[in-house]
Amino acid sequence: MSALLTPKVIDQEPSDYVRRHCTVVAEFGAATQDSGNVSWLVDTPQGRYFVKTAGPTGEQAPGSPTPYLDHGDRVGLLRNAVDLASSCPHVALPRLLNVIESPSGPGLVYDAAPGELVHVPPDRRADPNSAYQRFAHLPADDLLCLFDVLVDLHRALAAAGWVACDLYDGCLIVDFEGPSLRVIDLDTYRRGPSVNDMGHMFGSSRFMAPEELEMGAVIDQRTTTFTLGRLIWHFGTRLTEQAPRFCGPPALARAVQRACRPRPADRHASVAAFADAWEAGRSLP
């Protein structure tokens, strides 16, 4: 059994434990993100895993970006991620295999998701070799099948009470050999309807609903439908945002366009309603 899958509590920092028992393939910390979290992709004799932590409890190293959440809040989001994983097993979510408690909080051990992260820095979005461009230009049937998975996952999450937050192309990992889709980093999803208590919530402005930018606005399943619609429209139109370029039939395009309407009342009333409209559109020529 892997050393990552057996302990429930360790008396050392996760970084020391990971480096002692695994081969680090990649580290994701201050050099690549500003969240304050520190994560590792690791190899073990039993397979490849992804380990996510809240990072160190002390001050960031000199020159590192200031995290947008303090350590306690980051720990809270990791525990939220554990709740989400346990409430909604789905093929598109990498399996949460273990939670290891440490002096600096939990370490979440996931199956490593095969494939490439769709998100790339803005200056690479035009690169035809980027995962961003390759995803957007998959054959229509392949792209629609991946959207099927994304919609089905969020139908299941909504049924378990979750509302999307910070869903963007940085959550999508695509294995182009399949192709197949995994969805990651859903730590900030919220249980049930809530109120925007941040003003500008977590997320990419390219995909966020208007209410995610308005203090006091209601955040509910209609917010999830907007973000799903924007992701599907952006990539489904081959990055053009133009209806004639959409990869599916007109009825499907109309279902997605409705999801993206600015006023929540004009959208599908729930994720299930959007999923039903999506499935109906998918069945048409």
Side-chain angles (χ1 to χ4, degrees):
M1 180 73 73
S2 168
L4 290 178
L5 304 184
T6 49
K8 298 301 180 184
V9 181
I10 57 176
D11 60 2
Q12 58 189 296
E13 289 301 307
S15 58
D16 296 332
Y17 188 84
V18 164
R19 295 184 186 283
R20 177 182 175 187
H21 292 285
C22 312
T23 300
V24 175
V25 177
E27 179 173 321
F28 308 94
T32 57
Q33 56 187 3
D34 58 5
S35 67
N37 291 333
V38 179
S39 305
W40 302 271
L41 187 66
V42 300
D43 278 341
T44 74
Q46 291 74 32
R48 178 166 289 190
Y49 304 108
F50 180 77
V51 185
K52 187 170 188 177
T53 74
T57 56
E59 295 183 2
Q60 297 294 110
S64 299
T66 301
Y68 53 75
L69 290 174
D70 64 26
H71 185 268
D73 288 335
R74 299 196 302 271
V75 167
L77 289 183
L78 290 182
R79 300 205 185 282
N80 190 58
V82 173
D83 186 18
L84 184 147
S86 64
S87 68
C88 184
H90 192 279
V91 66
L93 294 177
R95 287 186 305 160
L96 178 62
L97 302 171
N98 196 15
V99 179
I100 303 173
E101 298 294 341
S102 79
S104 58
L108 278 55
V109 182
Y110 293 93
D111 274 331
E116 301 175 51
L117 192 68
V118 170
H119 176 77
V120 296
D123 61 359
R124 285 206 60 217
R125 288 179 192 157
D127 179 357
N129 295 315
S130 68
Y132 180 81
Q133 286 282 342
R134 288 158 55 214
F135 176 54
H137 291 93
L138 283 169
D141 286 347
D142 288 344
L143 192 54
L144 288 170
C145 285
L146 296 185
F147 292 153
D148 288 343
V149 174
L150 183 65
V151 171
D152 185 69
L153 166 63
H154 282 85
R155 183 201 285 270
L157 285 166
W162 295 99
V163 172
C165 179
D166 198 14
L167 174 63
Y168 73 119
D169 52 359
C171 299
L172 309 181
I173 292 182
V174 174
D175 182 353
F176 290 97
E177 292 187 5
S180 63
L181 176 72
R182 297 292 186 276
V183 184
I184 63 168
D185 284 349
L186 308 187
D187 308 12
T188 56
Y189 275 38
R190 296 185 173 198
R191 277 281 202 180
S194 63
V195 171
N196 180 341
D197 54 2
M198 298 174 64
H200 191 300
M201 297 180 69
F202 300 126
S204 167
S205 58
R206 294 172 297 149
F207 306 110
M208 293 172 74
E211 61 267 26
E212 294 181 276
L213 307 174
E214 180 185 347
M215 181 73 78
V218 173
I219 306 297
D220 60 17
Q221 287 193 31
R222 297 170 299 177
T223 309
T224 304
T225 67
F226 184 97
T227 305
L228 284 173
R230 281 293 305 133
L231 276 167
I232 292 170
W233 191 253
H234 183 66
F235 289 101
T237 60
R238 315 304 194 175
L239 311 177
T240 68
E241 310 287 346
Q242 298 174 7
R245 295 293 307 278
F246 186 68
C247 61
L252 195 59
R254 288 192 294 271
V256 177
Q257 288 173 312
R258 179 179 175 185
C260 300
R261 290 176 182 169
R263 292 180 66 245
D266 295 335
R267 302 175 201 152
H268 305 278
S270 65
V271 175
F274 173 52
D276 287 344
W278 173 265
E279 290 174 0
R282 282 284 274 132
S283 67
L284 297 174

